Structures are given as C-alpha cells and as structure tokens.
Amino acid sequence: KLNIGVDTIQHGVEGLTYLLTESSKLMISEIDFQDSIHVLGFSDELNKLLLHLYLDNRKEIRSILSELTPKLPSYHSLEWRLDVQASSLASRSLRQQIKPAVTIKLHLNQNEDQTAQVLQTDPSTLLHLIQQLEQALGEMKTNHCRRIVRNMK
C-alpha cells in the first residue's frame, strides 16, 4: 500500500526502536532529545510527534528494558585454602620442589538458589588477578567512568 520496499520499512522501524530505547536508557531530557532528532532532517511536525512519542513511552520502555536484563548471580560468601605439594627431584641443588595452589570456593546466590563454584590457581596468577581487579576499581574512580555510571542509572 505504501509503495515502499520491505527493507526500507524494516530499517525505519529498527531506527525508531533504537532511537527510543537508547534515549530511554539514558533518560535524556526533552531538549537533548529534540537536538538529537533535529539533525535527522525531519519536518517540525514529525519532530514534535517523535518527542511526544518519547515522552509518553520512556518510563514504560525503561521498565521493559529492566525486565530484559539478565539476572546475574550475586556474591554470598567465599572459602579458601592454601595447598602445598612437595615433590622429590633427583637433583643435587633441589631435594624437594614445592608447588603451592590456592583453592577458592565461591558461594553465589541466583534466583533464590545458592550455588558454589570451586576454582584453583597458583599464587602468582592470583596476585595478577588481584592487581587487575584493583586496577579496575581504580578506573571506576575516574571522572569518565563516573559519568558513564551516572548515565546508566
């Protein structure tokens, strides 16, 4: 009926969906939304219609998006143990070689259920993991990350 190709309609619907979901995720203001759609070159009437559509539906879109987010497991508790294995070698310099290993049992909550994951690593890998996690926590304190987190809420 519209004498328009299927691909054109599909791209239009996908573009409109993307515009509304991203704008709702970021909870952008009315002025920011108008600035965003102004560069698209639509008529003033269509811009007003899109703004009205966004303002009427952004809360509902946000609630639907929050329901679609995956429910990730959360931390409950942690148990750890240091194991040391000594092995004899036929060497003049080393009579025994020690192989330390850290065993970690991580208890997680997911959807009212409690699960446990057992992990084992050597101390040097564990130290590297700790350094990487501390670096990531340090990154969260930068202004750039704070701005991103603020916009995600």
Side-chain angles (χ1 to χ4, degrees):
K1 290 182 177 181
L2 297 175
N3 294 328
I4 299 174
V6 174
D7 289 340
T8 305
I9 294 174
Q10 181 178 353
H11 292 311
V13 170
E14 289 171 355
L16 183 59
T17 303
Y18 181 78
L19 174 70
L20 293 174
T21 54
E22 290 301 311
S23 299
S24 298
K25 273 185 204 176
L26 299 173
M27 283 298 285
I28 63 175
S29 67
E30 188 174 327
I31 295 168
D32 290 337
F33 185 82
Q34 286 176 332
D35 290 344
S36 298
I37 60 174
H38 181 71
V39 298
L40 298 175
F42 295 137
S43 67
D44 288 339
E45 183 181 330
L46 184 56
N47 286 345
K48 288 178 185 176
L49 184 64
L50 287 172
L51 176 63
H52 183 66
L53 183 67
Y54 167 66
L55 293 175
D56 287 348
N57 295 303
R58 68 179 167 187
K59 289 182 182 175
E60 185 177 351
I61 292 170
R62 280 184 67 83
S63 69
I64 291 170
L65 290 175
S66 68
E67 291 173 8
L68 295 176
T69 57
K71 304 293 184 219
L72 299 174
S74 62
Y75 171 81
H76 182 269
S77 64
L78 179 111
E79 300 174 42
W80 64 275
R81 181 180 73 218
L82 178 64
D83 295 324
V84 179
Q85 179 182 6
S87 59
S88 300
L89 296 175
S91 171
R92 290 184 211 165
S93 60
L94 291 174
R95 296 229 175 228
Q96 287 187 334
Q97 185 178 15
I98 297 175
K99 294 181 183 177
V102 178
T103 304
I104 300 168
K105 188 173 187 180
L106 186 61
H107 298 274
L108 304 170
N109 291 331
Q110 184 171 19
N111 299 334
E112 311 280 328
D113 296 329
Q114 198 173 76
T115 60
Q117 298 289 326
V118 178
L119 311 165
Q120 189 171 34
T121 185
D122 60 292
S124 62
T125 304
L126 183 60
L127 285 174
H128 178 69
L129 179 63
I130 291 169
Q131 290 170 348
Q132 292 297 310
L133 289 171
E134 286 175 346
Q135 182 181 353
L137 284 173
E139 287 284 328
M140 285 300 297
K141 294 178 182 175
T142 64
N143 288 334
H144 179 69
C145 284
R146 285 182 184 168
R147 229 177 297 124
I148 291 172
V149 169
R150 197 173 335 126
N151 286 330
M152 286 173 47
K153 292 181 180 177

